[in-house]
Amino acid sequence: MLRRFNLCYYLMLILSVTTFSFSAHAENAPLNGIATGGLGKAGKDYISLGVTLNEFRSIELVLDSTATGAFVDSFFPETAQTYAYSFTYGTYINDYFKTELRAGNGFIEDTVKEALDVNMSYWLGWYIGFTHPITDYMSGYAQYGITHYEADITRREIIAIIIDPQFGSASPVNAAPSTTRMEEGLFGTSFSTSWLLGLDFSLVDNWFLAFEYGRLLRDTDSNIKVYQAGTHLRYEF
C-alpha cells in the first residue's frame, strides 16, 4: 500500500510540474516546434539538492537462535524502502553530454520483519551521460556511472515461532539476523555500476526541477539491488 502511494504521489508531482512548466513557457515556445531547451549549456556547471527513495530488493533475511546459533528461519525476497538526501555537482562537456559527482546520506530507515533495520549510510558516485531537449522547457537524460556505498544496519532480537514438522507443535525461540549466513554489513561489496534516467523541467532563470529513476547498485555477493526514485532542485551557472 505504501509503495503504491509513493508511486502515485511521484506521478502526480511530475504531472503538476509539467503543467506549471508548460504554462510558464507557452508564450515563449518556438513557432517552428523545434525543441531548444537543452541548447547553450556547453561549459556550464551545476549543483543540485534532492531527496531520494531507495528501495532495497532481494534481501534474504536469515534468522539464527541467539542461544545456540542454529538456523531458525529465512525469508526471501524481502524489500525495504528508505529515504536519503542527495547532492550533485556536475558540468556540461557540451550541449548534449555531461559528467557529475554524486553523494548521498540516508535519514529515514526501514525495518525488515521487525528484525533488521536497513538504511543507506552513504554513497559516492561518478556519472557521465547524454541529455537532449524534448520541448522548450523539458529535457531528458540518461547516465551511467560507478558508485561506492555502505549500508547502515541494526540487528534486533525477536521471538520467532518454530513449528515441529513431526508433531505440529509451536515453540517460541529468541532469534536474530545471522552474522554467518548473511553479510555482516548487508552488502558483500562496496562498488557497483549505476544507471539512471531523468526528466528536468525549466522553472525560472537558471533553476530546474528534475525527476529521476534508476539503479544505484547491485551487490554481486548478496545479489541485493537498490533502486532510486528522486526529486532534485538544480541551479546552473
Side-chain angles (χ1 to χ4, degrees), residues 107-127:
F107 69 93
I108 295 181
E109 64 186 19
D110 197 4
T111 303
V112 180
K113 297 293 184 182
E114 301 182 351
L116 185 69
D117 295 340
V118 177
N119 205 351
M120 289 298 301
S121 178
Y122 68 87
W123 70 88
L124 301 168
W126 169 82
Y127 288 77

Side-chain angles (χ1 to χ4, degrees), residues 2 16 36-37 60 64 73 96 111 113 139 173 182 189 234:
L2 178 61
S16 300
T36 59
E60 182 177 14
D64 286 347
D73 205 349
Y96 299 103
T111 303
K113 297 293 184 182
S139 297
V173 175
M182 296 175 60
T189 61
R234 187 173 75 242

Side-chain angles (χ1 to χ4, degrees), residues 123-175:
W123 70 88
L124 301 168
W126 169 82
Y127 288 77
I128 189 168
F130 174 78
T131 181
H132 196 280
I134 299 174
T135 70
D136 189 48
Y137 61 89
M138 178 175 66
S139 297
Y141 54 93
Q143 297 177 208
Y144 187 82
I146 186 169
T147 299
H148 171 62
Y149 52 85
E150 183 175 299
D152 179 15
I153 65 170
T154 300
R155 289 173 164 83
R156 298 185 178 276
E157 183 174 332
I158 64 171
I159 297 178
I161 304 299
I162 296 180
I163 306 298
D164 189 306
Q166 183 175 358
F167 301 103
S169 58
S171 57
V173 175
N174 289 345

Side-chain angles (χ1 to χ4, degrees), residues 7 20 22 32 102 121 129 155 159 177 191 193 202-203 219:
L7 180 59
F20 171 79
F22 178 78
N32 58 9
R102 292 187 171 224
S121 178
R155 289 173 164 83
I159 297 178
F191 285 91
T193 55
S202 175
L203 298 177
D219 179 38

